[in-house]
Amino acid sequence: MHPVERCAFDPGFIVFARFAVTAFFAIVFLQSGLNKMFDSEGNLGFIREHFAGAPMLASNADMLFWSLTVLELLAGVFCGLGLITFSFVSGGFFVRWGLRFATLALLALLFGQRLAKDYAGAAVVAAYFAIALLGLLSFSIH
């Protein structure tokens, strides 16, 4: 068995994978974060109702909502800037931070879904999380 250092990777494929993951999270988190900002009352109402059965979350719904909104906007903006500046090619600053914020936002969402006992919702978040991990991995390959 060969160590990872000896594996051959197609640089063009790696760059495209980086682009795809960066674009995916720019779209997902800009849309989600902006939706939360522009329809905060509707989203807060949904969150309060969704987490009514989870006392720890229900009592802190507003703070958790705005914290998640900030994380999502940071992820979306940094990934978007990574696309505009082509930093996905070299694994630059914007994309690396965008993926970090995306991963943190997904962990927060997963935590909330699990506490609310919304296992189907948690499974969806897990799929997004797998994409984030693949994106992080693609930037570790040089």
Side-chain angles (χ1 to χ4, degrees):
M1 187 172 221
H2 298 286
V4 174
E5 295 89 38
R6 295 186 188 177
C7 290
F9 295 100
D10 178 356
F13 183 77
I14 296 299
V15 169
F16 184 76
R18 291 173 177 179
F19 163 78
V21 170
T22 304
F24 179 83
F25 284 120
I27 292 166
V28 165
F29 286 118
L30 280 173
Q31 185 279 327
S32 184
L34 291 172
N35 181 42
K36 283 179 176 65
M37 281 186 57
F38 292 119
D39 183 21
S40 58
E41 286 307 312
N43 281 289
L44 268 168
F46 170 79
I47 295 291
R48 289 180 187 127
E49 181 181 322
H50 189 69
F51 295 123
M56 186 174 96
L57 296 177
S59 63
N60 296 305
D62 288 18
M63 182 203 53
L64 294 171
F65 171 80
W66 288 111
S67 298
L68 180 61
T69 301
V70 168
L71 271 177
E72 289 182 347
L73 286 171
L74 286 170
V77 166
F78 274 82
C79 285
L81 288 171
L83 289 173
I84 292 168
T85 63
F86 290 88
S87 79
F88 60 87
V89 175
S90 63
F93 176 82
F94 291 122
V95 173
R96 288 182 184 268
W97 278 103
L99 287 177
R100 287 176 179 136
F101 287 127
T103 304
L104 291 173
L106 291 167
L107 286 170
L109 286 165
L110 181 69
F111 179 73
Q113 298 291 48
R114 296 291 299 183
L115 286 180
K117 297 181 181 171
D118 180 2
Y119 301 115
V124 172
V125 174
Y128 282 66
F129 189 72
I131 295 168
L133 293 178
L134 289 172
L136 291 169
L137 180 62
S138 77
F139 282 98
S140 70
I141 299 170
H142 299 285

